[in-house]
Amino acid sequence: MKVLIHDDRCTGHGRCYTLVSALFDADDQGHGVALIDGSLTEEQIALVHTAVLNCPEQAISLVDD
């Protein structure tokens, strides 16, 4: 699995990079960006679920490789 942030939905609330700073950061406009590109470990998947559940725009998805 890998993480995908839908740029058209993200408005920059920052919950992803506040809650899971190991896997997310902000771009120059404050929108979330994934720091990991590629397959995720089970531990990382659990952390991404935290970000997914806390994103008010539902802009974060986990997708199959």
Side-chain angles (χ1 to χ4, degrees), residues 5 12 14 16-18 21 24-35:
I5 297 180
C16 58
Y17 52 83
T18 299
S21 61
F24 297 94
D25 201 356
D27 66 10
D28 293 338
Q29 298 176 359
H31 296 163
V33 292
L35 296 177

Side-chain angles (χ1 to χ4, degrees), residues 43-62:
E43 181 180 331
Q44 291 169 325
I45 290 171
L47 291 172
V48 171
H49 278 294
T50 298
V52 168
L53 293 173
N54 285 281
C55 180
E57 295 89 12
Q58 298 177 334
I60 306 168
S61 300
L62 278 172

